[in-house]
Amino acid sequence: MGLIGRDDQLDLLRRLLTEPRGQRSAVLVRGAPGIGKTALLTETAALAEGLGYRVLSTSGAESESDIPYAGLQLVLRPLRAAATELAAPHRQALDTALGQAEAGVRDVFLVGLAVLNLLADVAASTPVLVLADDVQWLDDATAGVLAFVARRIGTEPVVMVGAARDGYRSRLNPDELTSVILDPLDDGQATRLLADHAPDLRPTAHRRLLAEAAGNPLALTELSRTLGASADPHISRLPLTERLERAFTDRMETLPDNTRGLLRIAALDDSPSLPEIYRATREFTGASAGAADLDPAVRARLVHLVGTELRFGHPLMRSAIHQTMPTDIRQAAHAALAAVLDADPDRQIRHRAAAADGPRETVAAALEEAAHRAARRGGIAAAVTALEQAAALSEDADRRAERLLRAADFAVELGRPETVTRLLDRALTGPLSRRQHATVVWLRGSFDEGLRSHSSGAISLTALAEEMAAEDPALALRILWSAAQLCFWSEPGPEGRRRILLAVERMELDELDPWRLAICAYAAPVDRGAYVLDRARHVTPKEGDDGRAYRMLSTASLLAGGFDLARAFSAAGGAPLRAQGRLGLLARTVGADAWSALVVGDLGAAIAATEESRRLARETSQTMMYGLMTATAAKLAALRGEVDAALRLAEEAEEIGLPVGARPVLATALTARGLAALGAGRFEEAYGHFRRLHDPADPAFQVALRLTTVGDLVDAAAHCGRLDAVLPIVRELEAVAALTPAPVLHADLRLVRCLLAADEDAEPLFTAALGADLSTWPLIRARTHLVYGEWLRRRRRSVESRDHLRAARDMYDALGAIPWGEKARRELRAAGETSRHRTPDARDRLTAHELQIVQLAAEGLTNREIGQRLYLSHRTVSSHLHRIFPKLGVVSRAELRTALTTVT
């Protein structure tokens, strides 16, 4: 007998299982309790098995939602033998996550990569279907791993289907999943279902049931068993879920005492193990407990047995039992479970905590230890829950506050502002020390770069850091770093920046300390630019650095204008971050490389790095960083002449940055708009955009980023007759250049002087500009040749102009700055020379993601090494390369380097 009313959904799932792999190989089924989600998954499993799939399944349970990787263990249980064949780092990450090894695993993403590779390896011989029911109750670590995998299985013979109850937040809901909504059955479908399950209903009862069930299949089958059993007229007014729960508990009340005791223990147990349930029930009731006592519940269809495991017929049965249990009985049941779990201390302490009827410091301390064990395995959400429970059971006010603050710190790592706010509000209900108060203030600003949370911004954070400097230097430094970051994302004004500098200089930090250099660069990128770059070149991070120091040095160098140095630090810092799976920090490190590569003109590297950083920022819930990299993608599109894409991406970035005044997002998006207009010859429009970047009253004004745009501003002004209007800005930036060695600013100013000079003075200035060392600044060198060629042609020196215009054309073609290459061609035609058309290269033929893969392959990395670097399975890398080769006209990896000669 097939499912009634679900033909469309089954057709979609059948196509997913039978058609060639596309971009979406994951589905999330949503609907109300009892709407038929589990039945649809069961039907999908049967369909997949008939097609030769290997089916792996898991299911969330409310009682297990705080056990790290509890759901993942069910998925991977049949794959234990295959897991031994994984590469050592992935095998170790998986063993640690599943509690089979003691080493720490910092980030869930490393576990995700291990699972992805394991599934891909298994699927190479037999396609795999992963089913996840009741996703809303999966533990956070498992949900994170499944979401990670779902985003990356588009080219694998792996399909994932999850089911989640409406009204619950789920991490298994990225854009890459196809969403399927299960609606109630219509009257005709409901009548067919009743004919199968309750054929003897009288017409009046049939009509009443149709009305009360409202098309819910579970209600139709369950309420048909109890219809008319209750004379309470108010029952029909209850929400449907409550009516179903009442039906289940009414059925339970007809069972023998021993059976009810078994079901109560089972409802609270975070394991379906029958032997464990029997032992705990004997502890709970003091009577025997065995299979005979369970038979009445099986006959009543409340539970069913699968081997040595007990399963409830529906999650509502478990929650109904839990909610109707008196407090004292529930605590006694938890105590009974704790008594039989000596071999599993983490589960035991959770039940001991649930059994406590008041503060218990010994239990609180044990919960705190369990929290740190969970965190070491990547179970950050479980750590938050355990610490919050520990705080509730703390006998000492100071320990209570410390546990709440530690839980809030972990919740920041999870990206859950609502949880952080709740925990901090609870902490504030008790007495706090000065240090604890400082921690509360600092943690409140841990989201959206602090733009929404710190009303008085950098100045208040700096004052807080100064207060803490003597008592807790480490906390003071972290708070001051937050203040410094606000100097990048917002504008605290000269006084705010000065105070941050004074505060960091008072701290007893080595002059080569990466934190110190980064804070100085963020607070005063101009005044401290020379200081930062000079010292950064002499810094060697300590042995064993986890990548954080390199990230600090990279971003410090970028803001001070040392883009070549920033790229070197980004490359060095990315390796350990990738190895540890710390994708949140990696998004920022790669982002620094993307921005630096873009400024210097390495557009191939910039395209790949921007795509990766943007994807990682989105995956790690870093909204402002995602906005910044979206704006960077817009700037890249503008340089490439992809005007529609540039404007679309700029608008997306502005929608993120405008509500909170995120200046670097707005500045970069505005630069993209200016470049799009400049490349299209709309010079008045371009001038308007670039002029805003140098107006301190404009929300897009950003002290450091404006230093890379003066050449664009003056170029636009020169073409629309507004050179006089930009003279004050140029004079200001000449003064800035006297303070900072930022190479881009100095190179741009050399060209600007040429554009502003009188005819008799310009030529030696052009010669000086081209005589400067621009070997690492090809974009500026190309522009200098183009502008000089234009200048010569307009003075009727066409023959002399051709060399410069030809050089500009060839350099812009090689860089991939298509509109400017075409402009050089037009100028050459006007100078009497025709040009060949630009030959499309890899940047034109490949997506950003493909370009990143092919660049790594050209460097000689194996598929497995590329997969580890990009957090893809090696088989996905192979699939990408299989599609890339024909696009580039190559037949082997050996030819890739030649195909990329003009790109890398």
Side-chain angles (χ1 to χ4, degrees):
M1 180 177 63
L3 289 180
I4 293 174
R6 303 303 182 208
D7 292 344
D8 291 345
Q9 292 83 359
L10 282 170
D11 284 345
L12 184 152
L13 292 167
R14 186 179 292 106
R15 290 196 303 273
L16 191 66
L17 292 167
T18 56
E19 292 180 358
R21 296 276 72 79
Q23 288 303 307
R24 295 191 176 197
S25 293
V27 166
L28 184 66
V29 180
R30 284 193 171 275
I35 204 68
K37 301 184 294 296
T38 299
L40 185 62
L41 262 58
T42 301
E43 195 77 9
T44 303
L47 177 62
E49 287 172 345
L51 293 169
Y53 274 73
R54 183 170 191 174
V55 178
L56 306 172
S57 61
T58 189
S59 179
E62 201 167 5
S63 58
E64 299 175 25
S65 59
D66 293 327
I67 303 176
Y69 302 106
L72 188 63
Q73 291 195 36
L74 295 176
V75 174
L76 301 184
R77 187 182 293 169
L79 305 182
R80 288 175 180 169
T84 62
E85 302 300 317
L86 286 172
H90 299 157
R91 189 173 63 250
Q92 180 180 346
L94 206 55
D95 287 347
T96 303
L98 300 181
Q100 297 163 5
E102 291 300 320
V105 52
R106 172 75 181 185
D107 208 305
V108 70
F109 296 111
L110 191 59
V111 180
L113 183 58
V115 173
L116 177 66
N117 277 293
L118 177 57
L119 292 176
D121 288 344
V122 171
S125 57
T126 304
V128 172
L129 170 66
V130 179
L131 295 175
D133 202 359
D134 283 317
V135 166
Q136 74 278 357
W137 286 326
L138 282 176
D139 63 276
D140 198 81
T142 294
V145 167
L146 293 182
F148 176 94
V149 171
R151 295 182 183 101
R152 289 165 171 80
I153 56 173
T155 60
E156 305 285 356
V158 177
V159 173
M160 182 181 296
V161 181
R165 186 182 293 188
D166 277 343
Y168 284 79
R169 167 188 170 275
S170 170
R171 288 180 62 177
L172 244 185
N173 195 25
D175 290 344
E176 291 85 350
L177 268 71
T178 299
S179 184
V180 172
I181 306 299
L182 290 190
D183 294 318
L185 303 179
D186 61 33
D187 282 352
Q189 294 163 344
T191 296
R192 286 171 54 199
L193 184 63
L194 279 178
D196 289 333
H197 287 82
D200 299 327
L201 276 181
R202 294 179 180 179
T204 53
H206 185 280
R207 288 193 297 272
R208 179 183 168 193
L209 186 55
L210 285 180
E212 291 198 11
N216 184 291
L218 181 67
L220 287 164
T221 56
E222 291 298 328
L223 295 182
S224 64
R225 295 192 182 111
T226 58
L227 191 66
S230 174
D232 186 346
H234 298 290
I235 289 179
S236 62
R237 301 176 192 170
L238 292 173
L240 183 58
T241 298
E242 292 185 33
R243 292 206 300 276
L244 285 168
E245 289 181 342
R246 178 78 66 92
F248 294 141
T249 53
D250 285 348
R251 209 182 316 163
M252 180 177 161
E253 290 306 312
T254 66
L255 301 177
D257 289 345
N258 282 3
T259 305
R260 289 203 302 273
L262 271 166
L263 293 180
R264 284 169 168 165
I265 288 292
L268 297 179
D269 199 358
D270 42 27
S271 165
S273 165
L274 273 172
E276 181 177 292
I277 291 169
Y278 290 147
R279 290 197 305 273
T281 302
R282 288 193 286 271
E283 182 78 23
F284 177 48
T285 63
S288 63
D293 299 299
L294 203 52
D295 282 344
V298 174
R299 289 195 299 271
R301 299 184 186 179
L302 288 170
V303 298
H304 60 276
L305 307 183
V306 180
T308 60
E309 294 184 349
L310 179 147
R311 303 287 170 82
F312 281 92
H314 192 277
L316 285 177
M317 298 178 186
R318 183 193 288 267
S319 62
I321 295 169
H322 189 282
Q323 291 174 24
T324 57
M325 217 182 302
T327 301
D328 58 336
I329 293 177
R330 186 169 62 250
Q331 288 172 340
H334 278 297
L337 281 161
V340 301
L341 291 175
D342 289 338
D344 195 336
D346 284 349
R347 290 178 58 217
Q348 183 181 55
I349 192 57
R350 279 191 289 273
H351 287 292
R352 284 181 62 199
D357 57 2
R360 294 285 188 278
E361 182 57 37
T362 55
V363 177
L367 274 171
E368 186 172 7
E369 291 175 6
H372 293 301
R373 284 195 297 273
R376 285 195 296 273
R377 292 172 55 199
I380 305 301
V384 172
T385 301
L387 284 166
E388 187 172 10
Q389 290 176 324
L393 294 172
S394 300
E395 296 176 354
D396 177 79
D398 184 69
R399 288 180 179 175
R400 172 185 178 275
E402 282 298 312
R403 287 159 179 161
L404 287 170
L405 295 179
R406 185 68 181 119
D409 203 356
F410 276 132
V412 168
E413 196 171 329
L414 281 175
R416 293 185 179 173
E418 69 288 349
T419 303
V420 173
T421 298
R422 175 173 55 77
L423 291 166
L424 295 180
D425 287 345
R426 285 191 59 196
L428 287 169
T429 61
L432 298 179
S433 67
R434 280 200 324 158
R435 182 186 60 78
Q436 289 168 338
H437 256 298
T439 303
V440 169
V441 173
W442 171 61
L443 287 175
R444 282 201 191 279
S446 297
F447 295 95
D448 290 334
E449 312 300 335
L451 290 169
R452 298 182 191 273
S453 305
H454 292 302
S455 57
S456 52
I459 292 177
S460 64
L461 283 173
T462 304
L464 194 63
E466 289 172 330
E467 288 178 21
M468 289 294 103
E471 183 178 344
D472 192 334
L475 176 61
L477 185 61
R478 293 174 79 186
I479 294 172
L480 193 61
W481 170 235
S482 295
Q485 285 181 297
L486 277 171
C487 293
F488 176 68
W489 293 99
S490 63
E491 180 46 62
E495 177 59 20
R497 292 176 180 274
R498 187 187 68 82
R499 286 195 60 178
I500 291 171
L501 282 178
L502 288 174
V504 74
E505 287 167 358
R506 289 192 191 107
M507 291 183 174
E508 295 181 0
L509 297 172
D510 187 282
E511 285 217 339
L512 299 183
D513 186 288
W515 287 76
R516 175 175 183 155
L517 295 178
I519 289 171
C520 287
Y522 272 67
V526 172
D527 294 344
R528 291 294 187 274
Y531 167 88
V532 168
L533 291 179
D534 176 66
R535 282 149 183 81
R537 295 183 192 279
H538 295 91
V539 175
T540 303
K542 296 176 181 177
E543 186 177 349
D545 177 71
D546 62 1
R548 189 181 295 270
Y550 282 111
R551 185 251 157 170
M552 294 296 219
L553 292 167
S554 174
T555 193
S557 301
L558 184 154
L559 289 175
F563 296 101
D564 54 339
L565 192 59
R567 296 192 71 187
F569 283 132
S570 292
L577 293 174
R578 291 180 194 280
Q580 298 166 50
R582 299 172 68 186
L583 301 193
L585 278 177
L586 183 63
R588 293 172 178 261
T589 301
V590 174
D593 182 52
W595 228 97
S596 301
L598 174 54
V599 172
V600 304
D602 188 353
L603 299 197
I607 290 168
T610 299
E611 164 69 16
E612 182 180 19
S613 179
R614 187 169 178 241
R615 175 169 49 85
L616 293 177
R618 184 171 191 168
E619 193 160 7
T620 54
S621 303
Q622 299 182 82
T623 305
M624 291 303 121
M625 191 65 197
Y626 174 78
L628 179 56
M629 298 320 297
T630 298
T632 305
K635 186 178 175 183
L636 270 167
L639 280 171
R640 300 270 299 148
E642 300 162 356
V643 175
D644 290 344
L647 297 181
R648 173 178 52 79
L649 289 163
E651 184 176 358
E652 182 183 352
E654 288 163 346
E655 287 175 355
I656 295 170
L658 273 171
V660 293
R663 288 176 180 260
V665 176
L666 302 177
T668 307
L670 195 59
T671 301
R673 290 185 181 278
L675 287 171
L678 193 61
R682 301 193 304 272
F683 300 114
E684 189 74 36
E685 179 187 338
Y687 169 78
H689 290 314
F690 289 124
R691 178 65 183 83
R692 284 181 55 195
L693 293 168
H694 298 275
D695 179 1
D698 195 282
F701 178 85
Q702 212 287 332
V703 169
L705 303 190
R706 69 186 286 245
L707 302 186
T708 66
T709 64
V710 61
D712 299 312
L713 171 67
V714 178
D715 190 6
H719 282 88
C720 64
R722 290 181 174 272
L723 283 178
D724 288 345
V726 300
L727 288 175
I729 296 172
V730 173
R731 284 194 292 270
E732 179 194 352
L733 291 176
E734 290 281 11
V736 168
L739 298 174
T740 177
V744 171
L745 175 61
H746 284 273
D748 263 356
L749 285 173
R750 282 192 290 269
L751 178 56
V752 164
R753 292 174 197 131
C754 301
L755 290 168
L756 295 175
D759 276 2
E760 62 272 17
D761 300 325
E763 193 148 16
L765 291 173
F766 274 119
T767 302
L770 285 171
D773 182 9
L774 295 175
S775 58
T776 56
W777 307 99
L779 205 55
I780 296 175
R781 186 172 183 81
R783 170 178 270 171
T784 306
H785 276 296
L786 178 59
V787 173
Y788 191 18
E790 288 180 291
W791 186 87
L792 288 167
R793 191 189 67 75
R794 281 164 175 71
R795 282 149 188 83
R796 303 183 184 280
R797 297 164 62 181
S798 295
V799 174
E800 294 174 77
S801 74
R802 291 171 193 164
D803 284 342
H804 294 288
L805 294 173
R806 203 179 299 122
R809 177 201 64 196
D810 294 344
M811 292 181 72
Y812 277 129
D813 281 358
L815 292 169
I818 297 170
W820 284 265
E822 293 305 310
K823 183 176 182 180
R825 282 179 171 77
R826 291 193 298 272
E827 288 289 329
L828 266 172
R829 282 196 298 273
E833 179 175 309
T834 58
S835 295
R836 67 190 185 282
H837 290 296
R838 174 180 177 271
T839 303
D841 60 30
R843 290 164 299 197
D844 307 303
R845 299 186 179 106
L846 304 180
T847 66
H849 195 43
E850 289 173 335
L851 184 59
Q852 188 177 29
I853 290 171
V854 81
Q855 286 172 343
L856 294 173
E859 292 175 13
L861 274 68
T862 66
N863 290 356
R864 195 174 292 277
E865 289 168 337
I866 295 171
Q868 290 174 352
R869 183 180 174 91
L870 300 184
Y871 274 68
L872 302 169
S873 84
H874 61 93
R875 298 183 187 278
T876 293
V877 174
S878 177
S879 296
H880 277 298
L881 288 173
H882 184 72
R883 291 196 301 270
I884 288 168
F885 280 17
K887 291 183 180 182
L888 297 182
V890 302
V891 296
S892 70
R893 297 171 79 98
E895 298 178 40
L896 287 177
R897 185 177 294 275
T898 301
L900 294 179
T901 298
T902 61
V903 177
T904 55

